[in-house]
Each structure stands twice: as C-alpha cells, then as structure tokens.
Amino acid sequence: MSEDRRLVEAGRVCLVNYGPLLGKLVVIVNVIDGKRVLVDGPSSVNGVARQIVPLARLSLTTIKVDIEDGARLTTLAKAYKEADVAKKWAESSWAKTIARKAAKAKLNDFDRFKLMVARKTRARVVNTQLKKMLKK
C-alpha cells in the first residue's frame, strides 16, 4: 500500500481541527466505530489526555507511529519519540502554512502598514526593471 494514504488506524497522527484542542497533534490509539476514535496526545508530550473524539474533528496526516491497538501511555510516548513526530510535523508544508498564518494574525496595525509599503516598494522595483528589459 502507498505510504501517502491517510487511513484511520491505530498510530495515525492527526491534527485536531475543532474544539478546545484546536491545533494539537494527537495519535489514534483505537478505532471505536466509523465515526469515533480513541486518541491520546500523548499527555506526557503535549498535554492531550486520552479521550474519545469524533473523526469529524480530526484531520489525518501522513505521519504514522508504530503502535498496536489500545497501546499504553508509556508505549505510545516511546513510539512517538522514536518516530520523531514533532520534527516531521515541523518540516511539513501544512505546519509551515499554519505557522505563517499565525504570524500574520499577530501583526499589529503598524506592522501591516510596513508590510504594505515593502510590497509596494518591491513591486515598483520589479516593474521598473521589467520595463527596462522590454525596451531593449
């Protein structure tokens, strides 16, 4: 089977997309039924306790941890660190996009103004160089 497939299975790392855990990474520990799964943070790593979450609140990633169904917390934490989930997630374009959006949301009014001026300046330089190239 292809590694880029995102199957709902034990060990699949997911991003919570709704609720109080919004933006946290969790690992599926067990599949309860077609709509709910048992997830864990693990709590020793990112503070998410073991709980039942609807699949609609999770976004599956391509990252997978090697665990069995219903793995204990210590087993999960060990496998989480061995799989180097935090590093893989930080290197993904998905995480970079989320970080970029968060940084942009933190900008105050003056920072947004400086960004606008920098864009205009860059556009002016690019357009003048382009016109010079077209004249030749």
Side-chain angles (χ1 to χ4, degrees):
M1 216 181 316
S2 172
E3 286 188 27
D4 61 336
R5 295 202 45 197
R6 299 176 186 184
L7 302 174
V8 178
E9 57 188 334
R12 178 67 58 193
V13 178
C14 304
L15 179 71
V16 180
N17 59 24
Y18 184 82
L21 299 175
L22 178 68
K24 297 269 189 173
L25 286 179
V26 296
V27 180
I28 296 176
V29 178
N30 204 350
V31 179
I32 297 171
D33 57 29
K35 293 188 176 195
R36 298 178 302 154
V37 291
L38 181 66
V39 299
D40 200 338
S43 56
S44 59
V45 176
N46 64 5
V48 178
R50 190 167 289 212
Q51 57 193 293
I52 296 171
V53 178
L55 280 172
R57 291 187 178 199
L58 298 176
S59 297
L60 303 176
T61 68
T62 54
I63 305 168
K64 189 168 181 324
V65 176
D66 188 28
I67 60 168
E68 297 292 325
D69 287 352
R72 293 183 176 190
L73 179 62
T74 53
T75 309
L76 178 61
K78 182 180 172 188
Y80 193 89
K81 287 179 182 166
E82 283 177 4
D84 208 10
V85 173
K87 183 181 176 200
K88 287 180 184 175
W89 173 250
E91 291 173 352
S92 72
S93 60
W94 192 354
K96 289 176 185 175
T97 302
I98 290 171
R100 196 177 321 113
K101 285 181 181 178
K104 191 173 180 182
K106 282 186 180 178
L107 294 177
N108 61 24
D109 190 40
F110 187 58
D111 291 333
R112 285 191 298 274
F113 173 76
K114 290 191 294 187
L115 183 64
M116 178 198 69
V117 170
R119 283 183 178 166
K120 285 175 128 179
T121 306
R122 187 183 86 201
R124 190 175 308 116
V125 169
V126 168
N127 286 334
T128 55
Q129 293 298 321
L130 186 62
K131 285 179 183 177
K132 285 180 185 177
M133 288 172 46
L134 290 175
K135 282 184 180 180
K136 291 182 182 180

